[in-house]
Amino acid sequence: MSVREYRQIMRRKSRKIFVGPVAVGGDAPISVQTMTNTLTTDVQATLDQIHRAAAAGADIVRVSCPDEESTAALRHIVRGSPVPLVADIHFHYRRAIEAAEAGAACLRINPGNIGSDDRVREVVKAAKDHGCSIRIGVNAGSLERDLLERYGEPCPGAMVESALRHLRILEDNDFFETKISVKASDVFLAVAAYQELADACDYPLHLGITEAGALRTGTVKSSIGLGMLLWSGIGDTIRVSLSAPVEEEVRVGFDILKALDLRHRGVRIVSCPSCARQGFDVIRTVEILEQRLAHINTPVSLSIIGCVVNGPGEARETDIGLTGGKGNHMVYVAGRQDHKIDPDRMIDHLVEMVEKRAAAIEAEKAGGGQESMVTG
């Protein structure tokens, strides 16, 4: 909890479920997901993507299972995955049963599309027998025909009614390990649907702006939509849908959470846009630092400011800071001036300082003694 009231986000109270060992909902941290785009039958290519996503911080990865060959491959993928997997299932109930048997931690289905009541019961039994949770995934682009006819178009009411309709099917089969999504590519529609759904049930919600677009435009759309919901306390797990590599989805997801102080992972760089006052090339420096510090998972804050106008103030709020000057540049530690650094050495020096700071934090977490501040 922040001491500043204006920074408080009061999360919606939701029940807690599990996707493998990852808790979703309740008091659990908001988890970050992505989805592979390889052919699932290509086990090695799929595992390579999963490992890249996990290295970027993904807590959960979804894998499409459109046919029997894919669910057969899923068994091998599960064995080699460092994170729990969600099997993406559409229409065919046998694929859901096979995925559960193959070790999927969660099934993404719409029970109403699975078929008869008997088939739904078989899927639920398989999920119970193998410890799977289920995600009900409603999408504005694939709503049931009767809802479209009644509402006239995809709208928040139709999406929420669809979600609750599917939810009741699971509840009627005594299944409650469920999370729900109501995704749309339209930010207004998605946000309104999630807000209405948040009031209608206490199940954990999986947030996403679907088909958001390419890396830049999709990041903007997702940040607006997910940011609005998360800021209002809605959301228990997120997936940023980008036409971009899976690890980029994960990085953007964490950046959204970091911006709202909801989760912290890796180095958070505060930097200025630069101007004629800059004492060094801020843009290039930040670009290099992002690359060289990408391996650090420990939360560390670093400010890179080109001049003394805002530099000292930003440095007061970060673990380590650099402010441009004439000649040598000033390095700050814990908000205080600490030492000056030669421009030719500053990047290597900052990388070393951040690495030492991260190591000190990890040592403190492990009970390795009093945490020390990093100095020059």
Side-chain angles (χ1 to χ4, degrees), residues 24 33 40 48 64 66 88 127 131 168 170 172 183 185 206-207 214 261 272 276-277 298 309 314 328 335 343 351 372:
V24 177
Q33 304 190 28
T40 305
D48 288 346
S64 182
D88 194 70
R168 281 193 294 273
L170 293 183
D172 288 345
K183 295 185 181 182
S185 60
H206 168 115
L207 301 188
D261 204 25
C272 67
R277 294 189 302 267
T298 307
V309 173
E314 294 295 349
N328 293 340
V351 170
S372 59

Side-chain angles (χ1 to χ4, degrees), residues 331-352:
V331 177
Y332 293 75
V333 175
R336 297 179 180 275
Q337 289 186 3
D338 195 78
H339 59 279
K340 289 189 174 182
I341 185 66
D342 185 287
D344 293 336
R345 294 183 54 240
M346 69 178 186
I347 290 179
D348 288 341
H349 184 65
L350 288 171
V351 170
E352 182 181 353

Side-chain angles (χ1 to χ4, degrees), residues 252-364:
V252 172
F254 269 102
D255 285 343
I256 292 171
L257 294 177
K258 283 196 289 188
L260 292 170
D261 204 25
L262 289 168
R263 267 189 86 175
H264 301 281
R265 185 183 191 276
V267 181
R268 177 175 63 87
I269 298 179
V270 176
S271 61
C272 67
S274 78
C275 67
R277 294 189 302 267
Q278 66 180 351
F280 58 92
D281 188 340
V282 173
I283 294 174
R284 180 60 179 156
T285 298
V286 171
E287 181 182 358
I288 295 171
L289 285 170
E290 283 187 332
Q291 294 171 354
R292 293 191 55 184
L293 296 174
H295 65 288
I296 294 178
N297 297 330
T298 307
V300 178
S301 55
L302 171 66
S303 57
I304 305 294
I305 308 297
C307 74
V308 297
V309 173
N310 293 321
E314 294 295 349
R316 280 196 296 270
E317 304 298 324
T318 54
D319 296 316
I320 299 165
L322 176 74
T323 295
K326 294 181 179 179
N328 293 340
H329 309 310
M330 179 60 67
V331 177
Y332 293 75
V333 175
R336 297 179 180 275
Q337 289 186 3
D338 195 78
H339 59 279
K340 289 189 174 182
I341 185 66
D342 185 287
D344 293 336
R345 294 183 54 240
M346 69 178 186
I347 290 179
D348 288 341
H349 184 65
L350 288 171
V351 170
E352 182 181 353
M353 288 183 68
V354 171
E355 289 176 338
K356 287 182 178 179
R357 173 65 174 155
I361 292 171
E362 292 303 321
E364 177 68 12

Side-chain angles (χ1 to χ4, degrees), residues 108-125:
R108 188 276 194 193
I109 63 172
N110 282 346
N113 297 336
I114 289 294
S116 66
D117 291 345
D118 287 342
R119 289 182 174 182
V120 172
R121 277 193 290 272
E122 287 190 55
V123 171
V124 169
K125 182 179 184 304

Side-chain angles (χ1 to χ4, degrees), residues 62-335:
R62 180 158 46 113
V63 177
S64 182
C65 293
D67 48 44
E68 191 172 356
E69 291 76 18
S70 295
T71 54
L74 182 64
R75 188 178 302 276
H76 303 288
I77 296 168
V78 166
R79 292 192 190 118
S81 175
V83 295
L85 302 182
V86 178
D88 194 70
I89 309 294
H90 291 277
F91 305 116
H92 205 298
Y93 82 106
R94 286 296 312 170
R95 301 293 83 80
I97 295 171
E98 292 161 2
E101 293 171 345
C106 179
L107 306 175
R108 188 276 194 193
I109 63 172
N110 282 346
N113 297 336
I114 289 294
S116 66
D117 291 345
D118 287 342
R119 289 182 174 182
V120 172
R121 277 193 290 272
E122 287 190 55
V123 171
V124 169
K125 182 179 184 304
K128 287 181 176 179
D129 289 346
H130 297 280
C132 293
S133 54
I134 289 178
R135 171 160 77 92
I136 294 171
V138 174
N139 193 304
S142 56
L143 284 171
E144 296 93 313
R145 181 177 299 175
D146 69 304
L147 292 177
L148 287 175
E149 289 175 353
R150 179 145 47 89
Y151 285 91
E153 64 176 1
C155 64
M159 295 175 70
V160 172
E161 183 171 338
S162 175
L164 297 179
R165 173 188 291 178
H166 295 306
L167 183 61
R168 281 193 294 273
I169 295 172
L170 293 183
E171 290 178 337
D172 288 345
N173 283 276
D174 196 34
F175 191 90
F176 303 94
E177 290 293 306
T178 309
K179 53 192 171 86
I180 313 173
S181 64
V182 281
K183 295 185 181 182
S185 60
D186 181 284
V187 174
F188 296 94
L189 175 54
V191 169
Y194 276 112
Q195 289 171 333
E196 188 173 325
L197 182 61
D199 290 334
C201 71
D202 69 347
Y203 284 90
L205 301 184
H206 168 115
L207 301 188
I209 305 299
T210 195
E211 287 102 30
L215 179 57
R216 187 188 66 188
T217 54
T219 294
V220 171
K221 282 183 70 173
S222 296
S223 299
I224 293 170
L226 300 189
M228 289 176 65
L229 291 165
L230 292 166
W231 201 333
S232 64
I234 296 171
D236 302 287
T237 183
I238 66 172
R239 189 259 173 120
V240 177
S241 297
L242 301 175
S243 300
V246 294
E247 52 268 41
E248 293 297 338
E249 291 191 350
V250 177
R251 293 187 185 112
V252 172
F254 269 102
D255 285 343
I256 292 171
L257 294 177
K258 283 196 289 188
L260 292 170
D261 204 25
L262 289 168
R263 267 189 86 175
H264 301 281
R265 185 183 191 276
V267 181
R268 177 175 63 87
I269 298 179
V270 176
S271 61
C272 67
S274 78
C275 67
R277 294 189 302 267
Q278 66 180 351
F280 58 92
D281 188 340
V282 173
I283 294 174
R284 180 60 179 156
T285 298
V286 171
E287 181 182 358
I288 295 171
L289 285 170
E290 283 187 332
Q291 294 171 354
R292 293 191 55 184
L293 296 174
H295 65 288
I296 294 178
N297 297 330
T298 307
V300 178
S301 55
L302 171 66
S303 57
I304 305 294
I305 308 297
C307 74
V308 297
V309 173
N310 293 321
E314 294 295 349
R316 280 196 296 270
E317 304 298 324
T318 54
D319 296 316
I320 299 165
L322 176 74
T323 295
K326 294 181 179 179
N328 293 340
H329 309 310
M330 179 60 67
V331 177
Y332 293 75
V333 175

